[in-house]
Amino acid sequence: MPLLPAANRTKRIVTLSLPIIGGMASQNILNLVDTAMVGTLGDVALAATGMGSFAIFMAFSIIMGLSAGVQAIAARRLGEGRHGQTAVALNTGIILALIWAVPWTMLGHALAPKMFGFLLDDPAVLAEAVPYFRTRLLATLAVGLNFSFRGYWNGVNKPKLYMGTLVLSHICNLFLNWVLIYGNLGAPAMGTLGAATASAIATYVAAATYMIAGFYLARGNGFLKVLPSKLDFKHLIKLAIPASMAQFFMATGYTALMWIVAQTGTSALAAANVLLTVTLVPILVGLGFGFVAASMVGQALGRGDVRDAEAWGWDTVKIAVIVVGSMGLPMVLIPQTLLSCFLHDPLTREIAVDALRLVGATMGIDAVGLVLLNAMYGAGHSRPVFVVGTTLQWGMGLPLAYLAGPVMGLDLVWIWGAILLYRGGQSAIYAHMWRGRGWSEVEL
């Protein structure tokens, strides 16, 4: 089958990417505003929410792989023309989320004091981080539902539903932040605990919105009508476990990175929190392109067209490198201006300047990995992606970061340089894997 002309393929990628990127942009804005709001409470609050956020990312990551699994299967069924079966994977994801959420929440709540006691030395930061984590952990079930729906809507080319729901939940989160952090409209001023409460409520708002949309728009495709078979559970678990483990080790790695930075002081930890939040702006856009690649690759493989699947991956990479790389330019050119929105202590701000410049200069390289790892998830090639990413992060990035920071006493830019080195290596290896086409042999 001949490939679509280049102009048509670019238009298709951009058309599908814009709603996803719009949703990601709303998440970016929320992250930035949330950090700015908490930043007014001082370095202790920033450090607590920074460490708490990465710990909650670690806790939630174990269920995030449902998105990759649901998207791969739904896209493959759509490509095969089996429209009435596209939502069966979604049903499977919902059931798995229900089974997992309660025991995981209880375990995390019980272990929180010990975990943060190990990660943090500052008693003031510890006192705020534990309740922040416990409160956000209550949204585990909603996170599982949301990621299952995200995979489904993206897999069947309905990214506008994903975007709309994200925007709604973020508006809710922002409003509740204003109410609960500062004590507006007669509510108590809860500080960092208010930020956590707002995030948890907004996550359930998103889950409820997705469920309502599912009843209206996915019933004809089997949503809550077709009971998953043992084979359906087997397929989804096979895809979701490596993706979840990849997310878990990545999240654990970033939590370990925050611990490494914390050894150099609370100000450095606050700076690292802001640095990661700002970096998420282009990273989430790159992931948006990756979600599109995953859907197009899955649908092409469903049609049995490997050549077309490979081309969708490379075409999406080209666009992502240009867009994401361009987004890194302000980090290189005006880092002080960007950081001043979140860090009000000049000394704390200065800690992050050079590291932010380095991040901006390497965003285009990172975009390659962001797109191709998701493209391979779309093909069902989850396990090799997990092995590569985890090995590089834990075998190279984190040891070098620890060597640079706590051992050698170097500043934040050297710690960040170690992480960016592993990210660059990851992009190169994923590009090699994509060219090798081993991902095309996975049966779903």
Side-chain angles (χ1 to χ4, degrees):
M1 183 182 297
L3 299 179
L4 286 173
N8 291 3
R9 298 175 72 83
T10 299
K11 181 179 179 181
R12 181 72 166 160
I13 292 168
V14 171
T15 300
L16 290 175
S17 295
L18 283 177
I20 298 176
I21 291 172
M24 292 294 191
S26 73
Q27 185 169 336
N28 288 338
I29 293 169
L30 175 66
N31 289 336
L32 294 170
V33 173
D34 205 23
T35 302
M37 285 180 161
V38 173
T40 63
L41 303 177
D43 282 358
V44 168
L46 267 178
T49 55
M51 185 62 82
S53 293
F54 279 96
I56 204 68
F57 177 31
M58 181 175 65
F60 287 161
S61 64
I62 205 70
I63 206 169
M64 289 179 180
L66 290 174
S67 178
V70 171
Q71 182 169 353
I73 296 172
R76 187 72 67 95
R77 298 293 173 265
L78 185 63
E80 293 167 348
R82 297 164 60 185
H83 297 265
Q85 296 292 310
T86 56
V88 175
L90 173 59
N91 296 341
T92 312
I94 290 172
I95 293 171
L96 291 175
L98 289 168
I99 293 171
W100 182 259
V102 174
W104 190 244
T105 301
M106 294 174 64
L107 179 64
H109 190 276
L111 294 179
K114 290 185 178 179
M115 178 176 66
F116 282 98
F118 171 75
L119 293 171
L120 296 167
D121 294 323
D122 189 328
V125 178
L126 180 64
E128 295 198 36
V130 171
Y132 178 89
F133 172 82
R134 281 176 162 172
T135 302
R136 289 199 61 183
L137 192 65
L138 296 174
T140 300
L141 173 59
V143 169
L145 297 177
N146 291 348
F147 273 85
S148 296
F149 275 104
R150 185 183 83 174
Y152 175 73
W153 296 129
N154 289 337
V156 298
N157 298 337
K158 294 184 183 294
K160 290 182 180 179
L161 288 167
Y162 168 56
M163 180 190 74
T165 304
L166 269 182
V167 171
L168 175 64
S169 67
H170 293 339
I171 291 173
C172 175
N173 196 349
L174 181 60
F175 171 72
L176 290 174
N177 270 345
W178 177 75
V179 172
L180 298 175
I181 292 176
Y182 304 120
N184 289 305
L185 301 181
M190 300 170 64
T192 55
L193 184 59
T197 304
S199 294
I201 293 173
T203 306
Y204 276 102
V205 168
T209 304
Y210 277 138
M211 290 294 291
I212 293 170
F215 275 106
Y216 280 99
L217 300 172
R219 289 286 282 176
N221 297 329
F223 175 62
L224 298 188
K225 287 174 63 177
V226 179
L227 187 65
S229 66
K230 290 183 179 179
L231 186 60
D232 292 321
F233 280 104
K234 181 180 178 181
H235 279 157
L236 184 55
I237 291 171
K238 181 181 178 181
L239 294 174
I241 286 180
S244 287
M245 293 307 295
Q247 291 280 356
F248 176 75
F249 278 101
M250 183 178 69
T252 305
Y254 275 108
T255 304
L257 174 62
M258 296 295 277
W259 173 80
I260 290 170
V261 175
Q263 308 311 299
T264 65
T266 298
S267 293
L269 184 58
N273 180 25
V274 171
L275 184 62
L276 286 167
T277 301
V278 174
T279 304
L280 272 178
V281 175
I283 282 180
L284 289 177
V285 172
L287 285 174
F289 283 113
F291 296 154
V292 172
S295 295
M296 302 313 295
V297 167
Q299 291 167 29
L301 291 176
R303 298 189 299 270
D305 194 338
V306 176
R307 181 167 165 259
D308 188 45
E310 183 183 10
W312 281 116
W314 290 127
D315 288 345
T316 309
V317 163
K318 294 173 186 175
I319 298 171
V321 167
I322 294 171
V323 174
V324 176
S326 298
M327 294 179 72
L329 290 177
M331 301 181 191
V332 176
L333 300 175
I334 52 170
Q336 284 277 7
T337 303
L338 295 176
L339 293 169
S340 65
C341 299
F342 314 100
L343 294 169
H344 304 287
D345 185 329
L347 295 177
T348 305
R349 189 164 59 242
E350 193 62 33
I351 293 172
V353 168
D354 288 338
L356 186 59
R357 282 199 177 103
L358 188 58
V359 169
T362 58
M363 283 314 310
I365 298 172
D366 205 18
V368 177
L370 291 170
V371 170
L372 292 181
L373 77 88
N374 281 284
M376 285 187 278
Y377 280 150
H381 202 53
S382 301
R383 185 176 178 181
V385 172
F386 158 64
V387 171
V388 170
T390 302
T391 300
L392 287 176
Q393 184 182 29
W394 286 87
M396 182 174 72
L398 289 172
L400 289 176
Y402 185 79
L403 179 65
V407 175
M408 299 180 66
L410 300 176
D411 58 22
L412 194 61
V413 67
W414 290 94
I415 297 174
W416 236 251
I419 299 302
L420 295 176
L421 183 63
Y422 113 74
R423 299 284 293 182
Q426 179 177 266
S427 292
I429 293 174
Y430 286 160
H432 177 73
M433 291 168 64
W434 189 250
R435 192 176 297 279
R437 290 191 176 185
W439 45 267
S440 66
E441 301 171 3
V442 179
E443 296 290 336
L444 297 180

